[in-house]
Amino acid sequence: MTIASSADHPTRRDFLFVATGAAAAVGGLATLWPFVSQMNPDASTIAAGAPIEVDLTPVAEGQDIKVFWRGKPIYISHRTKKQIDEAQKTPLSDLKDPATDESRVKQGHEQWLVVIGICTHLGCIPIAHEGNYDGFFCPCHGSQYDSSGRIRQGPAPANLPVPPYQFVSDSKIQIG
Amino acid sequence: MSGPSDYQPSHPVLKWIERRLPIFGFVHGSFVAYPTPRNLNYWWTFGAILSLMLGVQILTGVILAMHYTPEATMAFHSVEAIVRDVNYGWLLRNMHATGASMFFFAVYVHMLRGLYYGSYKEPREVLWILGVIIYLLMMATGFMGYVLPWGQMSFWGATVITNLFSAFPYIGDSIVTLLWGGYSVGNPTLNRFFSLHYLLPFLIAGVVVLHVWALHVAGQNNPAGVEPKTEKDTVAFTPYATIKDMFGVSCFLLLYAWFIFYMPNYLGDADNYIPANPAQTPPHIVPEWYYLPFYAILRSIPNKLAGVIAMFSAILVLAFLPWLDTSKVRSSKYRPLAKQFFWIFVVVAVLLGYLGAQPPEGIYVIAGRILTVCYFAYFLVVLPLLGKIERTKPLPNSIADDVLAKTGSKAVPMVSTVLALIVAGGLLVGGIDTARAAEADTPPANKWSFAGPFGKFDRGSLQRGLKVYKEVCSNCHALSYIAFRNLGDPGGPGYSTAQVASLASEYKIKDGPNDQGEMFERPGRAADYFPSPFPNEQAARNANGGAAPPDLSLITKARSYERGFPWFIFDLFTQYQEQGPDYVAGILQGFEDNPPADAKVPSGSYYNKYFPGHAIKMPKPLSDGQVTFDDGAPTTVTQYAKDVTTFLMWAAEPHMEERKRLGFQVFFFLIIFAGLMYFTKKKVWADAH
Ligand code: FES
């Protein structure tokens, strides 16, 4: 008898099972979301990552400073005439990750190079004023960057990234 | 019953694995083909519910541990940071905190079911004892978990419970020092409790495996209490028991969600929203509700050591149950006397729980002693004797017979139910009387826009309340958990980013050290927190006649008043949880220039109608016309009190609107899901009857 009754309405029965299974799947997936989302930076971390202002007056030509923004070291180099020239004259064909020097600095402020000091290979911090290109040298696996922070030699695949920043005055920048 | 199964997977890869590790056959034998008695009722679904709760607690606990800091100066703060800043942190914390209560609720149902149907009897003694061990581990875990937020109740609960061990002669004090890792409860205690609180649930999981193993060897008991004899007595675990369990679980989730989304603080204590203070014990220390019966037993014995022994015995006696109950018949269905004593025992346990929450004075002490005697008498006198003298009803021949007979019999109202109702009625009347007596001091209930399941903050009120805080309260009270950025968060006062930035820049924030190693002041930014009016607690105390003005960030959750029986039961259904706001608004309006003649107000204190003891150190803070509003709202003390309380309620729980909104969505889903489960279960079981 039970067999007969279930054979009478196979579709209704199947529909119920599918609907219940689908509801369970949707509920389960929705429940997962908070458990994944909580891993993202929390509100205070995001708020602490707000833009910072850096005063450039103490940085003399040929010197550089390291500041932290969102936990990342940012190199701010006051480039010498020589460094600027080298950076501008390098043909794009010599570059692994071609980019002009103009595209990596702000117009009218060519003496300032602002890059995120994290090697694009595996994340070590390159040392400034070292290596063969008057730029940065990464001690971990020997990547070398030029005075525009572009990758020239070694295993790193890309140039040192330029963080979002702008000049709020001639001697002050806002990073972020 | 389980064991090697002849199940063979058909897929070649699975076959390959199965030959080397017969895991599919094991799972199939234990959770698919495993025969379960066909007459199990819904009380049996609590096993599945408990497994779910253990899983939920471990999962949410592991996640909370990613954000929690087990350090005495930071623990309280880190819990607030979880609730305020972590994505869905409020949800995960509510799931874990109310989950503990749900876990205990389910375990009590599970234990009482075992008690009623004699599930501890031969051959299930080991199964039962493993259950008692799980229960003990749960109690230890729950206690240590309650310590972690490091609020006042955490701290003093830890002090009181660890001091229980000092009752033992000679070695007691050494044990307590060992537990503390210091000369008092402190950072080392917190640190080790965190470690153990993380460890114990995995031990529980291990014992649960043994518990389930023992269950599968002895087979499940059932409401008839007779063992299955033929195949007609059982059905396959999957789909029959699985689907029934899942329906039970989906109903249980509705209850759980009610607490998570609508009553998250109902089962907690307001005092635990005050950071731990080793210099001041809260006036009334109460453990979590699930320990209350044992706490009542502890307090009703006037001797320290005897009290501690009685409390532990009250739990340990459960392990001897299989031998204390001498009856050959398992199920109370066929034991007319045992059934009534069972219900009396339930009432005794509930009443003990009620007494555990009352102050230990007067009638409560005497009642506690009587009930303690009743509690032990049930195990040590009633159960051993009943087996000898009781005339049991005839048992059904088989489970199948029991299922068939069920359709005929009609339930007769039990004497015990009537008895329980009378007792409950008596309590109700008594409770109303005490509530009446207390009424004079109870702050009046207000109509809050944020009350109820769809409550929302009134933006205008929040903004006015912020103004009152800034112009009046902030002169003495900190609001240190609130950052300026919060003022622009959804569900808050609703300021724009630009407004928040300009609001923040009005404040001077101490920062540094700079490159010269000096601290300096700079204008506030959105990420900064409201600065405190005093540099430290001593300064605050010194400037305010010896009483430090409390931080207001959590004040509406940290203050409450006794609702009393039966109101606290009604509150469960009406979702009333605005004691805190009512109290705060009451205090602000409760100052009286001409105190009643019989009131004793020491100098330096002020008379306040709603402050416990009526003598408050805070002078009347608000008077009419003190703060001006742009939006034309009346500039009266009543309005100020209402607005600033609304603002402080938001400050205490910035995600309240989100909680209630998500709660509604979850309920909508769960009701549909439970309905679907119900019909699916009916369809599946249609084949079995
Ligand atoms: S990380 Fe810099 S070279 Fe590998």
Side-chain angles (χ1 to χ4, degrees):
Chain A
M1 185 204 164
T2 46
I3 294 165
S5 71
S6 61
D8 283 347
H9 314 283
T11 45
R12 202 203 282 174
R13 181 192 170 101
D14 289 350
F15 174 74
L16 180 63
F17 289 172
V18 169
T20 309
V26 168
L29 282 177
T31 311
L32 267 184
W33 176 240
F35 290 83
V36 176
S37 172
Q38 54 84 23
M39 302 279 274
N40 268 319
D42 69 20
S44 66
T45 310
I46 292 171
I52 54 164
E53 287 192 349
V54 184
D55 181 15
L56 303 177
T57 29
V59 192
E61 191 173 310
Q63 279 191 337
D64 59 89
I65 56 166
K66 212 192 293 173
V67 296
F68 276 87
W69 175 66
R70 295 194 171 169
K72 294 176 180 159
I74 311 278
Y75 272 115
I76 304 175
S77 309
H78 193 166
R79 302 192 290 182
T80 59
K81 188 91 192 61
K82 176 166 161 279
Q83 282 179 308
I84 300 171
D85 280 350
E86 282 169 1
Q88 286 174 344
K89 296 218 175 80
T90 312
L92 285 187
S93 54
D94 281 6
L95 298 172
K96 200 163 161 188
D97 178 11
T100 60
D101 187 56
E102 287 80 67
S103 68
R104 298 177 54 79
V105 295
K106 299 279 177 223
Q107 216 186 355
H109 302 283
E110 282 81 7
Q111 71 273 38
W112 295 105
L113 175 73
V114 181
V115 287
I116 297 177
I118 295 179
C119 181
T120 56
H121 180 221
L122 293 172
C124 294
I125 299 184
I127 304 165
H129 301 296
E130 285 211 21
N132 306 331
Y133 300 90
D134 230 354
F136 305 86
F137 169 74
C138 180
C140 284
H141 316 93
S143 288
Q144 303 208 19
Y145 301 86
D146 65 13
S147 54
S148 188
R150 294 172 298 197
I151 181 66
R152 300 301 288 272
Q153 193 182 317
N159 303 334
L160 293 179
V162 177
Y165 74 98
Q166 72 241 6
F167 280 84
V168 283
S169 73
D170 266 354
S171 61
K172 201 174 228 178
I173 59 169
Q174 188 193 46
I175 301 176
Chain B
M1 294 245 162
S2 62
S5 117
D6 41 13
Y7 173 78
Q8 267 299 325
S10 49
H11 195 276
V13 174
L14 301 186
K15 262 195 185 130
W16 187 90
I17 298 174
E18 183 73 3
R19 263 194 67 203
R20 288 150 182 86
L21 179 73
I23 187 162
F24 305 109
F26 174 76
V27 169
H28 188 266
S30 315
F31 300 106
V32 181
Y34 177 69
T36 74
R38 68 187 314 150
N39 60 340
L40 297 187
N41 55 33
Y42 277 104
W43 300 117
W44 260 265
T45 61
F46 277 83
I49 289 168
L50 283 164
S51 317
L52 173 86
M53 287 316 298
L54 179 62
V56 167
Q57 289 303 87
I58 289 182
L59 186 64
T60 52
V62 165
I63 282 172
L64 290 174
M66 294 180 189
H67 304 282
Y68 169 76
T69 314
E71 204 275 331
T73 57
M74 293 192 278
F76 187 88
H77 202 280
S78 76
V79 172
E80 275 308 308
I82 290 173
V83 171
R84 289 162 190 269
D85 287 340
V86 173
N87 297 342
Y88 295 100
W90 60 269
L91 173 61
L92 296 162
R93 201 247 169 153
N94 286 357
M95 282 174 84
H96 197 71
T98 61
S101 281
M102 292 295 109
F103 202 170
F104 273 96
F105 170 69
V107 92
Y108 284 134
V109 174
H110 193 64
M111 288 161 77
L112 287 174
R113 189 268 291 155
L115 202 57
Y116 185 84
Y117 292 110
S119 298
Y120 44 84
K121 289 191 189 182
E122 197 274 332
R124 298 185 180 85
E125 298 93 330
V126 171
L127 173 62
W128 173 262
I129 290 171
L130 285 168
V132 175
I133 293 173
I134 294 172
Y135 175 54
L136 278 173
L137 286 172
M138 277 175 66
M139 291 185 110
T141 313
F143 158 64
M144 287 193 270
Y146 194 56
V147 173
L148 301 185
W150 212 238
Q152 274 291 66
M153 274 297 161
S154 301
F155 185 90
W156 291 101
T159 306
V160 168
I161 301 292
T162 48
N163 265 316
L164 289 179
F165 293 91
S166 72
F168 296 109
Y170 309 116
I171 49 167
D173 286 339
S174 320
I175 296 181
V176 174
T177 310
L178 186 86
L179 289 174
W180 288 343
Y183 303 111
S184 59
V185 173
N187 189 48
T189 325
L190 174 61
N191 228 315
R192 66 191 55 188
F193 276 20
F194 175 62
S195 170
L196 293 173
H197 182 71
Y198 204 115
L199 169 72
L200 289 188
F202 295 97
L203 283 187
I204 294 179
V207 185
V208 166
V209 169
L210 296 180
H211 190 68
V212 173
W213 186 9
L215 173 74
H216 281 212
V217 172
Q220 282 167 291
N221 185 28
N222 62 77
V226 293
E227 298 292 339
K229 292 181 188 115
T230 62
E231 236 168 66
K232 272 208 293 194
D233 291 340
T234 62
V235 287
F237 190 84
T238 303
Y240 299 103
T242 330
I243 208 84
K244 196 167 183 172
D245 282 348
M246 278 175 65
F247 175 57
V249 163
S250 59
C251 293
F252 187 81
L253 286 179
L254 277 166
L255 175 73
Y256 186 17
W258 184 262
F259 283 101
I260 294 176
F261 293 105
Y262 294 126
M263 310 290 289
N265 294 311
Y266 177 77
L267 296 164
D269 198 298
D271 276 317
N272 226 23
Y273 281 109
I274 305 171
N277 178 0
Q280 194 180 24
T281 309
H284 189 39
I285 296 206
V286 199
E288 290 285 75
W289 68 268
Y290 33 86
Y291 304 123
L292 286 174
F294 304 105
Y295 194 60
I297 290 176
L298 169 80
R299 293 195 313 190
S300 50
I301 311 251
N303 173 289
K304 183 173 175 182
L305 180 59
V308 172
I309 290 176
M311 188 188 74
F312 284 121
S313 316
I315 303 165
L316 289 179
V317 72
L318 293 170
F320 298 96
L321 200 52
W323 297 278
L324 288 171
D325 182 356
T326 49
S327 174
K328 290 275 167 294
V329 175
R330 287 202 188 100
S331 173
S332 294
K333 255 169 101 175
Y334 307 104
R335 302 181 59 189
L337 284 178
K339 185 194 278 180
Q340 295 188 17
F341 278 109
F342 169 84
W343 287 109
I344 293 171
F345 171 74
V346 173
V347 171
V348 165
V350 170
L351 288 180
L352 273 172
Y354 176 75
L355 290 181
Q358 302 310 313
E361 50 196 29
I363 179 80
Y364 294 132
V365 179
I366 298 161
R369 289 190 186 147
I370 296 171
L371 290 170
T372 302
V373 171
C374 294
Y375 180 94
F376 283 105
Y378 176 71
F379 292 106
L380 302 177
V381 182
V382 175
L383 285 181
L385 279 186
L386 270 189
K388 307 254 175 357
I389 59 171
E390 189 176 31
R391 285 208 27 212
T392 56
K393 291 191 204 160
L395 294 178
N397 273 330
S398 70
I399 293 177
D401 281 2
D402 176 52
V403 174
L404 288 178
K406 195 174 276 171
T407 36
S409 73
K410 262 260 178 286
V412 189
M414 287 171 297
V415 186
S416 47
T417 321
V418 177
L419 207 87
L421 280 177
I422 291 171
V423 173
L427 259 178
L428 198 87
V429 173
I432 290 173
D433 275 354
T434 44
R436 281 226 190 87
E439 219 154 67
D441 287 349
T442 308
N446 294 272
K447 264 190 92 66
W448 299 109
S449 64
F450 50 81
F454 302 106
K456 278 193 165 50
F457 292 114
D458 169 355
R459 308 273 163 250
S461 192
L462 285 178
Q463 299 195 354
R464 291 193 299 270
L466 171 64
K467 193 154 191 268
V468 176
Y469 168 75
K470 271 168 59 179
E471 291 180 17
V472 185
C473 318
S474 69
N475 291 317
C476 301
H477 292 277
L479 191 68
S480 51
Y481 291 88
I482 300 295
F484 298 116
R485 64 181 157 86
N486 293 132
L487 299 171
D489 287 347
Y495 288 109
S496 68
T497 321
Q499 282 171 315
V500 169
S502 83
L503 240 155
S505 62
E506 289 168 18
Y507 286 83
K508 290 260 161 295
I509 303 291
K510 240 206 179 74
D511 200 351
N514 60 13
D515 292 343
Q516 286 76 44
E518 277 152 24
M519 304 302 282
F520 58 93
E521 278 194 339
R522 57 164 177 79
R525 305 184 191 122
D528 291 320
Y529 288 79
F530 273 92
S532 301
F534 300 103
N536 52 53
E537 207 196 308
Q538 284 76 358
R541 195 180 297 280
N542 189 36
N544 289 282
D551 189 298
L552 294 185
S553 316
L554 281 161
I555 202 80
T556 53
K557 275 157 97 180
R559 294 290 183 275
S560 186
Y561 60 90
E562 265 321 304
R563 287 286 281 168
F565 187 87
W567 302 113
F568 75 89
I569 294 177
F570 299 158
D571 291 348
L572 192 50
F573 301 99
T574 60
Q575 296 189 358
Y576 175 81
Q577 38 187 350
E578 279 73 37
Q579 291 103 309
D582 282 342
Y583 174 85
V584 172
I587 289 288
L588 291 174
Q589 301 170 75
F591 288 89
E592 262 162 43
D593 298 331
N594 307 310
D598 58 337
K600 278 190 219 54
V601 183
S603 72
S605 295
Y606 304 86
Y607 180 84
N608 189 305
K609 212 158 123 194
Y610 303 117
F611 190 72
H614 300 305
I616 190 168
K617 287 271 187 185
M618 171 171 76
K620 184 173 186 231
L622 294 164
S623 41
D624 288 347
Q626 192 176 353
V627 181
T628 56
F629 293 137
D630 308 334
D631 61 358
T635 54
T636 58
V637 170
T638 318
Q639 186 68 30
Y640 297 153
K642 201 166 169 154
D643 290 340
V644 83
T645 307
T646 304
F647 173 71
L648 291 175
M649 186 64 227
W650 167 78
E653 198 186 349
H655 294 297
M656 193 208 72
E657 289 189 5
E658 192 189 353
R659 161 164 73 80
K660 292 184 174 176
R661 192 181 52 238
L662 192 60
F664 179 72
Q665 293 165 353
V666 167
F667 262 88
F668 184 74
F669 172 81
L670 280 179
I671 288 171
I672 290 181
F673 183 65
L676 281 171
M677 281 310 304
Y678 174 74
F679 288 112
T680 305
K681 186 248 152 194
K682 260 185 105 167
K683 270 266 155 41
V684 168
W685 277 78
D687 297 352
H689 291 309

